[in-house]
Amino acid sequence: MNVNRLRTLFSQALRASLATPLLLSGCEREPAPVVEPPPRPEPVDLSQHSEVACVNGFPALTGLTIDPPPDVLQVRTVQHRFPPGTPPAVVLKASEGEPCATATAPQACLDRLEAVLVDGGFPRLCGYSMECDKSFLATTRGDEVATYATADSVRALLGRIDTPEEAALLVYASGYALCSHPAYERGKVRALPDGTFSVVSIQDYDCETHVYETRHDLTVTPSGVVTEVGTFPFKEGTPDCVVGRRPVGLQGSGDKVCEDARGNYFAKAARLEAAAIHAFLRLRDELALHGAGTGLQDAALASATDEVRHTEVTLRLARRFGATPVPPAVTALPLRPLDEVLLDNAVEGCVRETYGALVAHHQALHARDPEIREAMARIADDETRHAGLSWDIDAWAMPGLSSEARASLHEARRRALAVLRAEVAVPLDPRLAVEAGLPSPEVASALLDSLEQSLWS
């Protein structure tokens, strides 16, 4: 993509974001009456809650009172594969009971159980590659094999919700995380005196695990009505997630390294800028492997050189605000096939890096801190060229792809945009918005809207 076109689109997006509040106010309208907002709910006290029992990252299937009881109850996942047309894999994740124990033809029953496949599945968060593996329940009773891939079907299977385990399973089927990565908190559950259940979903999100850092407080009635009574962000936003191109094999960074939001932001930014050096060097090698022209290869190498300068600049800013940045750890992995390279480019380059370049321009315009403003002005121009490289790679590959493969890349961009929208919706520390010039959630949403219309639609 012509870099000048990107600059034009960025300029239009920045102007549109500035105009948004004016359009909302309407200079010729009567002022709207002041309406006091309803009081915000308080988080549920967790002192009497218990952790949700989990097996292999899924709620345990014990403590259920299903009538009549099945011979077996299983959790399975449907893992879709790239490129399109590759048959999905169905993987057994958890099981309770003996499959086909009362079947008159046990082997035929087992064969049907192993062959089950569903359309859709329980709503889930997407992983790093934007592949969203969805799960479902399967049972056998006698010769019958049945599947349950929606919250309504699970509600019908469970009948009356009598136990905390049943409440947790229904909440999980409704799309709430309860058994996150072991480094994070599990969901919580408690039986209340009135017969209802309190369930708390802990959905941790960071830009490396793609899990969103929020807590959802829910109630579940005996009839199976799930109601969200409060949503609470664990921490303020993670704007550093869009800095640089993240390489495959990037390991987690652990806890924040500075209490000052500015130091923490620039320490994480420095780490991701340093990680982007690895990403662009790998990209150059993978482009050469798959026959891309020397122009694209040289642009990838030049981008790696840019990231060295970005790392130095953000390191200096991090130390200025009292942070000690942690260098990135990147696992050495073999070069990838072209389809994986293009999928990564669609997500990391055409969406996240493109938006990151636009954010850098916003910072260069709005940061009140002069050193930050000057640094971001230099970085913004480099990142715009990096974003342009991503779109050039996309354009180079598109003519040789099938319509199904092109559609899959478009879907990957759509999913990446949804993840970005979740990230930017979390309020920022005021110092990052004012001194570092990062866009507020409202402005960030307007910026994404503009890019969606011009680039991602």
Side-chain angles (χ1 to χ4, degrees), residues 37-42 231-233:
R40 295 185 62 182
E42 292 295 325
T231 302
F232 312 95

Side-chain angles (χ1 to χ4, degrees), residues 335-354:
L335 298 182
R336 298 166 294 176
L338 181 59
D339 55 11
E340 293 183 20
V341 175
L342 296 179
L343 181 64
D344 185 60
N345 184 69
V347 172
E348 288 297 312
C350 295
V351 176
R352 301 188 68 86
E353 196 165 35
T354 300

